[in-house]
Amino acid sequence: DWNELRSWFLDNLEKTWIERVFYRELNEVNTVNTSFWFTKLKIDTTGEYGQFGEAFKYFHEANSKLVITGDKGSGKTFILLKIAEGLIKWGRNDLASRVPLIVNLSSFHPNVLSFQQWLIEQIHQDYQLPRAIAENWLDAERFDLLLDGFDEIDENWQLAALEEINEYLKKYWSTNFVIACRSAVFDKI
């Protein structure tokens, strides 16, 4: 049943990412100012925009298609997890909403698997969701993709990885996404 499996997935996501990772980081970081342009949120300690709490608002203002860039340690993952927290809360109140999916891109190599096949494997490994269900949910665009660590993809594969992700997002054009990446890497590609 979709609703039961969806609820289980949200619980798993909340325990794994929000309780174990996000709240641990919350104790280490106070605030980071941000600058916001269209669908790109650049973390900038001199910016005039506010708190991490506004991340979910920015996500929606960017039509749920957002790239977060910043320097190492500037809070990119923190903002991504803040968006995830908002999506989990939203998802518990709106059974028709999508389920947030947080994955780290560091192991994505486009020469080995297509982006969709890699996502299926990640969902199966990280969330213990059967591959057939993961594929079905991806095809039905039931996930909001929260893609962390683009800059951690092997430098030799970053351009090909971006092309593969773009092709996926063209095919599944209504999929919402957040990509977090260091500014220096994102600006090069």
Side-chain angles (χ1 to χ4, degrees), residues 6-21 81 84-85 87-88 92 99-103 126-127 143-144 146:
R6 185 179 180 285
S7 180
W8 171 84
F9 192 87
L10 286 171
D11 289 343
N12 188 348
L13 182 69
E14 189 169 44
K15 286 178 185 146
T16 302
W17 284 97
I18 303 304
E19 291 174 9
R20 293 184 189 153
V21 178
L81 293 174
E85 182 183 46
L87 289 169
I88 290 168
R92 294 204 188 282
V99 176
L101 173 67
I102 303 170
V103 292
D126 295 350
Y127 299 100
F143 287 115
D144 287 325
L146 305 176

Side-chain angles (χ1 to χ4, degrees), residues 49-181:
Y49 294 97
Q51 309 285 332
F52 285 115
E54 296 179 358
F56 189 62
K57 178 182 114 180
Y58 291 141
F59 177 65
H60 284 288
E61 287 178 359
N63 296 317
S64 304
K65 297 179 184 342
L66 183 67
V67 175
I68 303 168
T69 63
D71 295 328
K72 180 180 180 179
S74 62
K76 299 174 297 297
T77 299
F78 190 85
I79 290 175
L80 184 134
L81 293 174
K82 189 68 179 169
I83 292 168
E85 182 183 46
L87 289 169
I88 290 168
K89 287 178 184 175
W90 183 290
R92 294 204 188 282
N93 295 320
D94 180 1
L95 295 178
S97 69
R98 297 172 188 196
V99 176
L101 173 67
I102 303 170
V103 292
N104 186 292
L105 290 166
S106 62
S107 68
F108 177 50
H109 295 280
N111 63 324
V112 177
L113 292 172
S114 71
F115 184 62
Q116 182 165 357
Q117 286 302 313
W118 178 81
L119 279 173
I120 291 167
E121 289 305 312
Q122 291 302 119
I123 294 165
H124 178 69
Q125 289 174 6
D126 295 350
Y127 299 100
Q128 294 76 51
L129 198 64
R131 288 177 181 90
I133 293 173
E135 183 173 16
N136 177 280
W137 285 17
L138 286 167
D139 285 341
E141 298 183 76
R142 290 187 170 178
F143 287 115
D144 287 325
L145 301 180
L146 305 176
L147 309 172
D148 193 25
F150 181 87
D151 51 282
E152 296 172 27
I153 296 173
D154 184 297
E155 187 176 339
N156 298 318
W157 300 109
Q158 287 173 346
L159 184 58
L162 184 60
E163 290 171 356
E164 183 73 28
I165 292 168
N166 280 336
E167 286 304 311
Y168 177 87
L169 293 172
K170 283 180 192 174
K171 181 178 179 183
Y172 297 102
W173 59 271
S174 69
T175 295
N176 301 327
F177 67 88
V178 176
I179 299 174
C181 181

Side-chain angles (χ1 to χ4, degrees), residues 18-29:
I18 303 304
E19 291 174 9
R20 293 184 189 153
V21 178
F22 176 66
Y23 284 114
R24 183 186 64 205
E25 285 194 24
L26 184 61
N27 292 326
E28 298 171 9
V29 179

